[in-house]
Amino acid sequence: MSATRGKFITLEGGEGAGKSTVLNTLRELLAAAGVDVVVTREPGGTPAGEAIRGVLLDPALRGGIAPETELLLMFAARAQLVRETVAPALAAGRWVLSDRFTDASYAYQGGGRGQPLERIAGLERWVAEGLQPDLTLLLDLPVGIGLARARGRGPADRIELEAQDFFERVREAYRARAASQPARFRVVDASQPLDAVLERVRGVLAEFLAAQGSGVVS
Ligand code: T5A
């Protein structure tokens, strides 16, 4: 039995950009539009990936994970997620909504840590096998605002302990990536009040659904 391939939507952004909040709204809107959606996150999303996430974000390992190790662990979790969750769901005609995907590695490990982009692209070719999101929402906001939100929410994880200039490089890498792939990316001003952010997200999704012939979210 063959099904039309599902669509792959990802959410990206710096710390405290509001991805979790937006993800819940997108999930509800897609369900209301009758879309069968699988929701996941990176790093993580599978039992093995969640175990790797625990290592990556453990603040006790601060200073104990080399940039190369971090990059490989991100892609190790991704290899499992693609094979166990994303590719099978899309092949079965289901949609996948993911809190982060490969763009995060370009932004954090490339922009933030200075890992060569060709190295990341090589891992992407191997691990993701050409799988690209159909739509990526980049929640963009000044680093200081995002960090204040994230830090107001609880103890910092290993990556949140980085200095502000690390996150400035992450933000610039995300913005450059969005500018270089305008057909896939939609940039959302995440510094606005939540109502305004969600209004813009609804608009982006409605436009995307209309382009798929799947109806319009109101
Ligand atoms: N990572 C990940 C890499 O380095 N490389 C990779 O390849 C991948 C995949 C984990 C970390 O891993 C790194 C990036 C991360 O450092 P994560 O789980 O996505 O990734 O972690 P965070 O980005 O840290 O996610 P957060 O939970 O901090 O941020 P969210 O989900 O963007 O923010 P959210 O929704 O929890 O909101 C934060 C707070 O702000 C409020 C919310 O109520 C909440 O309290 N808020 C707003 N307040 C005012 N106005 C708004 N518009 C608001 N929107 C949300």
Side-chain angles (χ1 to χ4, degrees), residues 6-131:
K7 297 295 172 188
F8 185 23
I9 301 176
T10 57
L11 274 174
E12 298 283 357
E15 311 301 301
K19 290 179 290 83
S20 310
T21 315
V22 167
L23 187 97
N24 287 330
T25 296
L26 279 175
R27 181 209 308 255
E28 288 168 13
L29 290 171
L30 286 168
V35 174
D36 178 14
V37 62
V38 175
V39 179
T40 190
R41 69 172 180 179
E42 280 211 337
T46 65
E50 290 294 324
I52 294 169
R53 179 187 178 93
V55 171
L56 278 163
L57 300 186
D58 184 352
L61 292 174
R62 188 181 191 195
I65 296 185
E68 292 79 4
T69 311
E70 183 178 275
L71 177 63
L72 288 167
L73 286 173
M74 293 294 177
F75 272 95
R78 183 164 299 132
Q80 192 61 35
L81 185 72
V82 166
R83 282 150 188 79
E84 188 173 326
T85 305
V86 181
L90 294 175
R94 306 181 76 193
W95 289 33
V96 177
L97 175 58
S98 184
D99 187 341
R100 299 192 188 278
F101 194 59
T102 311
D103 293 307
S105 293
Y106 283 97
Y108 282 80
Q109 282 66 55
R113 302 274 189 229
Q115 288 292 292
L117 297 186
E118 318 80 67
R119 181 175 297 164
I120 300 173
L123 286 167
E124 181 183 19
R125 276 193 297 278
W126 176 41
V127 165
E129 297 177 342
L131 183 61

Side-chain angles (χ1 to χ4, degrees), residues 178-200:
S180 71
Q181 300 182 50
R184 170 165 74 88
F185 275 93
R186 293 292 177 272
V187 180
V188 176
D189 177 359
S191 69
Q192 299 178 93
L194 191 54
D195 282 356
V197 171
L198 295 181
E199 190 55 34
R200 163 89 169 121

Side-chain angles (χ1 to χ4, degrees), residues 1-6 89-94:
M1 189 182 72
S2 71
T4 306
R5 179 187 176 278
L90 294 175
R94 306 181 76 193

